[in-house]
Amino acid sequence: NCTKQEPLVIDGALILQIHLDFSTTFDISTQDDTTAIMSTTFVRRTTKILVLNPNSSASMSHGVEEAIRGMNLPLSTEIYTYTAPPASPASINDGDDVQQSADVVLRNLQETNILTEYDAVLVACYSVHPLVHLIQENWPHVVVTGIFEASIVTSLSLLPYQENWGIVTTGKFWEKHLSDGVHTFVGSEHNNSRFAGVETTGLNAGDFHGGVDPDVVRQKLCEATKRLLDRGAQAVVMGCAGMAGLEDIIRSVATEERGAEAGRKLFVIDGVKAGMGLLEQMVRNKRMFQRS
């Protein structure tokens, strides 16, 4: 087996490709019978997923890659990461950044047409990001979700009906943006009794990767988590791709507030991991229930 990683830059976008070579050929020819040759090749239908970071921060993409490397995924799944071109914001902190990142990435995807190579796309920005529906409209063969949508589906599927969940995220802008997005996604015009709401840290996405002292990050994240737990949340969604790897901080708050058993049972949901699991199932379902 041969494994290698190759970074590609396509019109400014960085794509990390991981290649696996599974081909094996056996030659059982003999001196007496040169026609006795058997050739076998390991053949599988792969699932190729592109994890699309719509901001231009390579460090953000690296954090996402580390989270994915720790997942137990089938060998038939190939994961690629995409970092947006430099014209996209380095950190998506408000509605203008969301729209700018969508415009830059959509243009890049159209110019390169790279999505023809993939079965699924995960938009790794915790927002109601336009790229989710734009990719659906322009590349209908691709299964697509965002980490925001995936985290909602995962939370609702894991919790008993009477228990609720909430989101810990970055700046003030996201309180209304994400709350409205949740109600729209679940089809609720009024407050959803199972949604405990959004709590913010006052940080931005880049702060979780070296922009701010780690002790400050921990304090802010703990304070926001405590406010959410005080509302009775049994699942906490990390509402920023930059929070990847910080699950233990959130869980430690539950342990301190509710005890060791409650800390273990708390669902701490990483939208990237939730999205990967959901896309795997979505691709299988599409192949199962739709004629190709």
Side-chain angles (χ1 to χ4, degrees):
N1 293 353
C2 174
T3 304
K4 63 180 181 179
Q5 295 187 12
E6 296 181 358
L8 291 181
V9 177
I10 303 177
D11 285 358
L14 177 64
I15 300 180
L16 178 66
Q17 305 185 64
I18 303 174
H19 302 283
L20 301 177
D21 184 358
F22 291 96
S23 299
T24 305
T25 301
F26 302 94
D27 187 343
I28 60 170
S29 59
T30 65
Q31 291 182 342
D32 296 332
D33 183 6
T34 58
T35 64
I37 298 176
M38 178 183 73
S39 178
T40 65
T41 302
F42 179 39
V43 180
R44 63 192 171 95
R45 184 174 184 181
T46 62
T47 297
K48 296 178 68 173
I49 299 176
L50 182 66
V51 182
L52 189 155
N53 174 14
N55 71 46
S56 57
S57 169
S59 64
M60 192 85 66
S61 295
H62 294 330
V64 169
E65 289 160 12
E66 287 304 311
I68 294 172
R69 286 191 180 99
M71 296 183 67
N72 183 18
L73 294 170
L75 288 176
S76 60
T77 300
E78 298 179 8
I79 313 298
Y80 300 74
T81 58
Y82 167 107
T83 304
S88 189
S91 179
I92 298 175
N93 302 316
D94 55 34
D96 291 339
D97 290 341
V98 170
Q99 190 58 54
Q100 182 182 350
S101 67
D103 294 340
V104 170
V105 172
L106 179 63
R107 183 166 58 249
N108 181 254
L109 295 178
Q110 291 173 330
E111 290 172 351
T112 60
N113 205 27
I114 61 171
L115 292 191
T116 57
E117 304 174 15
Y118 298 96
D119 300 297
V121 176
L122 178 64
V123 179
C125 173
Y126 203 88
S127 67
V128 185
H129 206 287
L131 280 173
V132 174
H133 70 80
L134 288 172
I135 291 173
Q136 288 172 333
E137 292 173 359
N138 287 276
W139 292 273
H141 76 283
V142 173
V143 170
V144 59
T145 190
I147 60 176
F148 168 71
E149 292 83 357
S151 73
I152 297 174
V153 172
T154 301
S155 297
L156 293 175
S157 64
L158 288 175
L159 290 174
Y161 182 74
Q162 71 275 14
E163 295 183 353
N164 62 19
W165 63 281
I167 301 169
V168 173
T169 188
T170 51
K172 186 71 174 178
F173 165 79
W174 300 107
E175 289 183 13
K176 178 174 171 49
H177 175 89
L178 296 178
S179 295
D180 290 348
V182 169
H183 300 317
T184 300
F185 185 74
V186 301
S188 170
E189 295 182 2
H190 306 289
N191 288 338
N192 186 311
S193 60
R194 300 191 64 195
F195 178 49
V198 179
E199 288 292 342
T200 60
T201 61
L203 303 171
N204 64 48
D207 292 338
F208 292 98
H209 292 275
V212 169
D213 186 294
D215 289 337
V216 175
V217 171
R218 181 183 181 88
Q219 178 186 351
K220 298 284 189 182
L221 187 54
C222 285
E223 291 172 353
T225 299
K226 183 180 183 305
R227 293 194 298 270
L228 198 60
L229 294 179
D230 287 344
R231 299 187 190 179
Q234 301 297 321
V236 175
V237 173
M238 298 190 296
C240 173
M243 290 181 181
L246 302 181
E247 293 94 332
D248 287 346
I249 295 177
I250 293 174
R251 195 175 301 282
S252 70
V253 179
T255 300
E256 293 171 5
E257 293 292 313
R258 300 176 176 176
E261 183 67 14
R264 286 192 296 270
K265 289 184 175 181
L266 179 73
F267 290 110
V268 183
I269 297 173
D270 180 329
V272 173
K273 293 179 180 179
M276 293 299 301
L278 183 60
L279 282 177
E280 278 272 327
Q281 188 61 53
M282 290 170 68
V283 170
R284 286 195 294 270
N285 285 347
K286 184 176 182 180
R287 291 171 178 172
M288 185 183 307
F289 301 125
Q290 187 179 66
R291 290 185 178 178
S292 59

